Amino acid sequence: MNLAVAANENMANISNVLIYSAMAVYTLAFLAHMAEWVFGSRSKVGRTAAALTDAAGARSAATVAVKVATRGGGTAVLERPKVVTRSVAGSRDVPDGPGAAGDSEQGDLYGRVAISLTVLAFLLHAVGVVARALSVERAPWGNMYEFSTTFSAVAVGVYIVFLATKKNVRWIGLPLVTTVLLDLGLAVTVLYTDSDQLVPALHSYWLWIHVSCAIISGAVLYLGFVGTLLYLFRDRYEAKLAAPVGKRPGAFASSVLERLPSAASLDKFAYRINATVFPLWTFTIIAGAIWAEAAWGRYWGWDPKEVWSFITWVAYACYLHARATAGWKGRKAAYIALVAFACFLFNYYGVNFFINGRHSYDGV
């Protein structure tokens, strides 16, 4: 028995070392992403324009901003190409530029370094989560510390899968790594709980099903939240570009927002993410009700965690309905999506910290 306890303690220590190591590598990835955003070229979205044409033929607008042509002793100055930021009605979206991952050799180098470091950090992170599971001999999400470390690992894992499938999502890298560092920092300082067994009511295979679905749902919804938030900033930026000269965005806003995909693409990305994971969140609530019946003898008891899970479900249902309603597409629907994710965060942090309920006995 003592040997088993000692082995579990050693595995827990290994898990802690791996989590701290992952945080160190995530920090290096954060710095590399910052360098990528500083040295990477701007997105092509805000620079798309029709080619300029003269008597000699067409010449690319990507290499010519102002062109002077000589005709019969006179000069004709062509205007700067029109900045195209929005798709024409009935056509496809404005094509996306590379985002922070630029065409420049230096910017792309930092981007590749950032992605490589993110993958390395994820591997350390994932092994740390597995080591925690071995130390407690159960699913590694029995408390808020374990949930947080697993949640951030899944979020990074989904991001890496997107990259592996050639999706243009490198623009998520900087906000994602920043959030992961904050999440892990909070986990190891405020939420940390020593390895321990759960109360008898939680010893069920539904722990693997219900909580794993909640973690996956939350991680994917977070990516949708990032897309929605950046869509609002990018949409406002594009509106200012289309406005009179006096209302043009500032240099700093242009420097940051030109690196993002178009507002239409960000909006579409967020919608697809939220719509795809919504059925899984629905199943999460159903699985929780089934587990509650097995553990407590009732499917629904208006426990605060149950209530806020349902409120989150309703909020996302309203968002999806708004997207299908002509007058609520765009920014109005995006605001609902932000409220929905805020409900998810309160369901996790607010309910666990400030409201007592049947879910409180799992501790932090």
PDB file of all heavy atoms in Angstrom, residues 295-309:
ATOM      1  N   ALA A 295     -26.720   9.099  -9.486  1.00  0.00           N
ATOM      2  CA  ALA A 295     -26.015   9.449  -8.260  1.00  0.00           C
ATOM      3  C   ALA A 295     -26.950   9.961  -7.174  1.00  0.00           C
ATOM      4  O   ALA A 295     -26.764   9.653  -5.988  1.00  0.00           O
ATOM      5  CB  ALA A 295     -24.952  10.512  -8.564  1.00  0.00           C
ATOM      6  N   TRP A 296     -27.971  10.753  -7.564  1.00  0.00           N
ATOM      7  CA  TRP A 296     -28.816  11.430  -6.584  1.00  0.00           C
ATOM      8  C   TRP A 296     -30.286  11.037  -6.666  1.00  0.00           C
ATOM      9  O   TRP A 296     -31.105  11.511  -5.880  1.00  0.00           O
ATOM     10  CB  TRP A 296     -28.713  12.952  -6.749  1.00  0.00           C
ATOM     11  CG  TRP A 296     -27.300  13.443  -6.620  1.00  0.00           C
ATOM     12  CD1 TRP A 296     -26.361  13.016  -5.741  1.00  0.00           C
ATOM     13  CD2 TRP A 296     -26.678  14.462  -7.410  1.00  0.00           C
ATOM     14  NE1 TRP A 296     -25.189  13.702  -5.912  1.00  0.00           N
ATOM     15  CE2 TRP A 296     -25.350  14.603  -6.940  1.00  0.00           C
ATOM     16  CE3 TRP A 296     -27.097  15.271  -8.455  1.00  0.00           C
ATOM     17  CZ2 TRP A 296     -24.444  15.507  -7.487  1.00  0.00           C
ATOM     18  CZ3 TRP A 296     -26.200  16.183  -8.992  1.00  0.00           C
ATOM     19  CH2 TRP A 296     -24.889  16.294  -8.511  1.00  0.00           C
ATOM     20  N   GLY A 297     -30.642  10.211  -7.633  1.00  0.00           N
ATOM     21  CA  GLY A 297     -32.017   9.744  -7.735  1.00  0.00           C
ATOM     22  C   GLY A 297     -32.963  10.722  -8.399  1.00  0.00           C
ATOM     23  O   GLY A 297     -34.177  10.572  -8.297  1.00  0.00           O
ATOM     24  N   ARG A 298     -32.446  11.740  -9.105  1.00  0.00           N
ATOM     25  CA  ARG A 298     -33.310  12.649  -9.864  1.00  0.00           C
ATOM     26  C   ARG A 298     -32.539  13.162 -11.073  1.00  0.00           C
ATOM     27  O   ARG A 298     -31.318  13.322 -11.046  1.00  0.00           O
ATOM     28  CB  ARG A 298     -33.828  13.783  -8.983  1.00  0.00           C
ATOM     29  CG  ARG A 298     -33.011  15.056  -8.887  1.00  0.00           C
ATOM     30  CD  ARG A 298     -31.697  14.958  -8.125  1.00  0.00           C
ATOM     31  NE  ARG A 298     -31.047  16.224  -7.884  1.00  0.00           N
ATOM     32  CZ  ARG A 298     -30.295  16.892  -8.742  1.00  0.00           C
ATOM     33  NH1 ARG A 298     -30.142  16.458  -9.963  1.00  0.00           N
ATOM     34  NH2 ARG A 298     -29.692  18.015  -8.394  1.00  0.00           N
ATOM     35  N   TYR A 299     -33.278  13.412 -12.149  1.00  0.00           N
ATOM     36  CA  TYR A 299     -32.655  13.893 -13.368  1.00  0.00           C
ATOM     37  C   TYR A 299     -32.345  15.398 -13.308  1.00  0.00           C
ATOM     38  O   TYR A 299     -31.362  15.853 -13.891  1.00  0.00           O
ATOM     39  CB  TYR A 299     -33.562  13.617 -14.569  1.00  0.00           C
ATOM     40  CG  TYR A 299     -33.652  12.161 -14.937  1.00  0.00           C
ATOM     41  CD1 TYR A 299     -34.760  11.389 -14.559  1.00  0.00           C
ATOM     42  CD2 TYR A 299     -32.641  11.535 -15.661  1.00  0.00           C
ATOM     43  CE1 TYR A 299     -34.858  10.047 -14.892  1.00  0.00           C
ATOM     44  CE2 TYR A 299     -32.725  10.189 -15.998  1.00  0.00           C
ATOM     45  CZ  TYR A 299     -33.840   9.447 -15.615  1.00  0.00           C
ATOM     46  OH  TYR A 299     -33.920   8.124 -15.943  1.00  0.00           O
ATOM     47  N   TRP A 300     -33.220  16.121 -12.648  1.00  0.00           N
ATOM     48  CA  TRP A 300     -33.076  17.581 -12.615  1.00  0.00           C
ATOM     49  C   TRP A 300     -33.503  18.087 -11.252  1.00  0.00           C
ATOM     50  O   TRP A 300     -34.587  17.751 -10.771  1.00  0.00           O
ATOM     51  CB  TRP A 300     -33.930  18.222 -13.711  1.00  0.00           C
ATOM     52  CG  TRP A 300     -33.661  19.687 -13.913  1.00  0.00           C
ATOM     53  CD1 TRP A 300     -34.334  20.736 -13.342  1.00  0.00           C
ATOM     54  CD2 TRP A 300     -32.641  20.263 -14.714  1.00  0.00           C
ATOM     55  NE1 TRP A 300     -33.789  21.926 -13.756  1.00  0.00           N
ATOM     56  CE2 TRP A 300     -32.745  21.678 -14.611  1.00  0.00           C
ATOM     57  CE3 TRP A 300     -31.638  19.735 -15.537  1.00  0.00           C
ATOM     58  CZ2 TRP A 300     -31.895  22.548 -15.285  1.00  0.00           C
ATOM     59  CZ3 TRP A 300     -30.802  20.601 -16.205  1.00  0.00           C
ATOM     60  CH2 TRP A 300     -30.931  21.994 -16.075  1.00  0.00           C
ATOM     61  N   GLY A 301     -32.626  18.890 -10.620  1.00  0.00           N
ATOM     62  CA  GLY A 301     -32.954  19.392  -9.286  1.00  0.00           C
ATOM     63  C   GLY A 301     -32.746  20.873  -9.124  1.00  0.00           C
ATOM     64  O   GLY A 301     -32.680  21.350  -7.994  1.00  0.00           O
ATOM     65  N   TRP A 302     -32.612  21.591 -10.229  1.00  0.00           N
ATOM     66  CA  TRP A 302     -32.403  23.039 -10.203  1.00  0.00           C
ATOM     67  C   TRP A 302     -31.178  23.420  -9.390  1.00  0.00           C
ATOM     68  O   TRP A 302     -31.138  24.450  -8.717  1.00  0.00           O
ATOM     69  CB  TRP A 302     -33.641  23.778  -9.686  1.00  0.00           C
ATOM     70  CG  TRP A 302     -34.825  23.568 -10.564  1.00  0.00           C
ATOM     71  CD1 TRP A 302     -35.877  22.744 -10.336  1.00  0.00           C
ATOM     72  CD2 TRP A 302     -35.065  24.175 -11.853  1.00  0.00           C
ATOM     73  NE1 TRP A 302     -36.769  22.783 -11.387  1.00  0.00           N
ATOM     74  CE2 TRP A 302     -36.291  23.664 -12.341  1.00  0.00           C
ATOM     75  CE3 TRP A 302     -34.369  25.087 -12.643  1.00  0.00           C
ATOM     76  CZ2 TRP A 302     -36.822  24.038 -13.558  1.00  0.00           C
ATOM     77  CZ3 TRP A 302     -34.894  25.461 -13.861  1.00  0.00           C
ATOM     78  CH2 TRP A 302     -36.117  24.942 -14.306  1.00  0.00           C
ATOM     79  N   ASP A 303     -30.170  22.568  -9.425  1.00  0.00           N
ATOM     80  CA  ASP A 303     -28.877  22.900  -8.846  1.00  0.00           C
ATOM     81  C   ASP A 303     -28.274  24.067  -9.638  1.00  0.00           C
ATOM     82  O   ASP A 303     -28.482  24.177 -10.848  1.00  0.00           O
ATOM     83  CB  ASP A 303     -27.960  21.674  -8.936  1.00  0.00           C
ATOM     84  CG  ASP A 303     -26.597  21.923  -8.332  1.00  0.00           C
ATOM     85  OD1 ASP A 303     -26.480  21.880  -7.101  1.00  0.00           O
ATOM     86  OD2 ASP A 303     -25.637  22.167  -9.121  1.00  0.00           O
ATOM     87  N   PRO A 304     -27.536  24.989  -8.991  1.00  0.00           N
ATOM     88  CA  PRO A 304     -26.993  26.139  -9.719  1.00  0.00           C
ATOM     89  C   PRO A 304     -26.196  25.760 -10.966  1.00  0.00           C
ATOM     90  O   PRO A 304     -26.289  26.433 -11.997  1.00  0.00           O
ATOM     91  CB  PRO A 304     -26.099  26.820  -8.670  1.00  0.00           C
ATOM     92  CG  PRO A 304     -26.727  26.462  -7.369  1.00  0.00           C
ATOM     93  CD  PRO A 304     -27.259  25.079  -7.544  1.00  0.00           C
ATOM     94  N   LYS A 305     -25.405  24.687 -10.879  1.00  0.00           N
ATOM     95  CA  LYS A 305     -24.629  24.261 -12.051  1.00  0.00           C
ATOM     96  C   LYS A 305     -25.554  23.801 -13.169  1.00  0.00           C
ATOM     97  O   LYS A 305     -25.316  24.103 -14.350  1.00  0.00           O
ATOM     98  CB  LYS A 305     -23.674  23.136 -11.653  1.00  0.00           C
ATOM     99  CG  LYS A 305     -22.790  22.640 -12.784  1.00  0.00           C
ATOM    100  CD  LYS A 305     -21.683  23.619 -13.115  1.00  0.00           C
ATOM    101  CE  LYS A 305     -20.656  23.699 -12.025  1.00  0.00           C
ATOM    102  NZ  LYS A 305     -19.478  24.516 -12.409  1.00  0.00           N
ATOM    103  N   GLU A 306     -26.607  23.104 -12.818  1.00  0.00           N
ATOM    104  CA  GLU A 306     -27.568  22.657 -13.825  1.00  0.00           C
ATOM    105  C   GLU A 306     -28.291  23.846 -14.457  1.00  0.00           C
ATOM    106  O   GLU A 306     -28.488  23.887 -15.675  1.00  0.00           O
ATOM    107  CB  GLU A 306     -28.579  21.700 -13.173  1.00  0.00           C
ATOM    108  CG  GLU A 306     -27.957  20.425 -12.638  1.00  0.00           C
ATOM    109  CD  GLU A 306     -28.929  19.629 -11.787  1.00  0.00           C
ATOM    110  OE1 GLU A 306     -30.012  20.157 -11.456  1.00  0.00           O
ATOM    111  OE2 GLU A 306     -28.598  18.476 -11.439  1.00  0.00           O
ATOM    112  N   VAL A 307     -28.675  24.782 -13.608  1.00  0.00           N
ATOM    113  CA  VAL A 307     -29.411  25.947 -14.111  1.00  0.00           C
ATOM    114  C   VAL A 307     -28.546  26.755 -15.081  1.00  0.00           C
ATOM    115  O   VAL A 307     -28.992  27.129 -16.175  1.00  0.00           O
ATOM    116  CB  VAL A 307     -29.879  26.833 -12.936  1.00  0.00           C
ATOM    117  CG1 VAL A 307     -30.442  28.151 -13.456  1.00  0.00           C
ATOM    118  CG2 VAL A 307     -30.918  26.097 -12.107  1.00  0.00           C
ATOM    119  N   TRP A 308     -27.286  27.012 -14.712  1.00  0.00           N
ATOM    120  CA  TRP A 308     -26.434  27.828 -15.573  1.00  0.00           C
ATOM    121  C   TRP A 308     -25.981  27.075 -16.825  1.00  0.00           C
ATOM    122  O   TRP A 308     -25.720  27.694 -17.860  1.00  0.00           O
ATOM    123  CB  TRP A 308     -25.244  28.363 -14.787  1.00  0.00           C
ATOM    124  CG  TRP A 308     -25.635  29.598 -14.038  1.00  0.00           C
ATOM    125  CD1 TRP A 308     -26.028  29.689 -12.736  1.00  0.00           C
ATOM    126  CD2 TRP A 308     -25.705  30.924 -14.574  1.00  0.00           C
ATOM    127  NE1 TRP A 308     -26.350  30.987 -12.414  1.00  0.00           N
ATOM    128  CE2 TRP A 308     -26.148  31.767 -13.523  1.00  0.00           C
ATOM    129  CE3 TRP A 308     -25.443  31.489 -15.818  1.00  0.00           C
ATOM    130  CZ2 TRP A 308     -26.331  33.137 -13.698  1.00  0.00           C
ATOM    131  CZ3 TRP A 308     -25.618  32.849 -15.997  1.00  0.00           C
ATOM    132  CH2 TRP A 308     -26.058  33.651 -14.944  1.00  0.00           C
ATOM    133  N   SER A 309     -25.907  25.767 -16.743  1.00  0.00           N
ATOM    134  CA  SER A 309     -25.646  24.994 -17.960  1.00  0.00           C
ATOM    135  C   SER A 309     -26.806  25.159 -18.938  1.00  0.00           C
ATOM    136  O   SER A 309     -26.599  25.321 -20.158  1.00  0.00           O
ATOM    137  CB  SER A 309     -25.461  23.513 -17.618  1.00  0.00           C
ATOM    138  OG  SER A 309     -24.312  23.311 -16.838  1.00  0.00           O
TER     139      SER A 309
END
